[in-house]
Amino acid sequence: SNYHTFAGNKFTMNGKVFGLSEVIEAAREARDTSYSPYSGFKVGAAARLESGSIITASNQESSSFPASICAEHNLLTHHNTHMPHDPIVMLAVISSDGENECCPCGVCRQVLADTETRQKREIKIAMCSATTATVVNGASALLPFTFKFNPTEE
C-alpha cells in the first residue's frame, strides 16, 4: 500500500536512515512564520534533502487572495530555484495542533508531482496532526491523474 500510518521515528531510503520526527518538528516550527491574517489557517512545511539538510517554509496570504501561497508550494518553489540538485527525500506538512492531519491542496499536489518528475524520484509526504501522521510514497498516491504537459512537435 502507498499509505502508512506513522508508527515510528525513522524511515530508510536508499540505505540511509532519516528521522521523521525531526522533519515534523521543523514543519511545526515553520508554522510560526505563517502570515495568515485573513484565514487564520497557519501551515508549516519542512523537507529533508538527500544531503541531510532540512529546509522549511510557511503559508503566506495576500489581500489579493489568488496571490497567496501555500507552505508546500512556497517550499517547493524555493527548493527548485535554489537547490534543485539536492533532491527532496521527504516532506512534512502540519497546520494546527488539533486532531486533523493537514493535507496538500490540489495545486500543491501537482507541484509535488512536478518536483518528483524534475528530480526523477518520489518524495515521501507526511500529513501531520499534533499526534499522528499519515505518510504516502509519492504525489501519485495523492493525485493519481496528474497534469502532464507534452507539447507535440509541429
Side-chain angles (χ1 to χ4, degrees):
S1 169
N2 280 337
Y3 298 89
H4 306 283
T5 301
F6 174 61
N9 185 3
K10 306 214 178 291
F11 71 93
T12 304
M13 181 176 279
N14 297 332
K16 294 181 184 177
V17 177
F18 296 97
L20 183 58
S21 59
E22 184 181 19
V23 180
I24 294 170
E25 185 55 35
R28 185 176 281 115
E29 290 174 12
R31 182 184 58 198
D32 293 339
T33 66
S34 167
Y35 181 72
S36 47
Y38 307 104
S39 72
F41 187 64
K42 297 181 178 296
V43 179
R48 167 83 66 187
L49 307 182
E50 188 175 61
S51 67
S53 298
I54 295 177
I55 60 172
T56 63
S58 61
N59 61 320
Q60 302 294 311
E61 293 181 351
S62 171
S63 58
S64 173
F65 292 132
S68 298
I69 188 166
C70 299
E72 308 94 294
H73 194 171
N74 196 2
L75 183 143
L76 293 165
T77 301
H78 177 80
H79 169 267
N80 292 337
T81 301
H82 297 286
M83 53 202 80
H85 302 295
D86 192 0
I88 295 174
V89 174
M90 189 261 182
L91 182 141
V93 59
I94 191 167
S95 58
S96 70
D97 280 326
E99 294 179 14
N100 294 329
E101 293 177 353
C102 187
C103 300
C105 74
V107 170
C108 289
R109 292 172 191 215
Q110 181 65 51
V111 175
L112 278 160
D114 294 341
T115 300
E116 288 178 343
T117 298
R118 182 177 182 170
Q119 66 181 27
K120 296 179 178 63
R121 71 184 309 165
E122 288 185 330
I123 298 169
K124 277 196 183 294
I125 304 161
M127 297 161 291
C128 308
S129 74
T131 58
T132 65
T134 297
V135 180
V136 298
N137 293 323
S140 64
L142 300 175
L143 188 66
F145 302 103
T146 60
F147 175 78
K148 294 194 180 357
F149 181 66
N150 295 315
T152 58
E153 293 183 26
E154 296 181 25

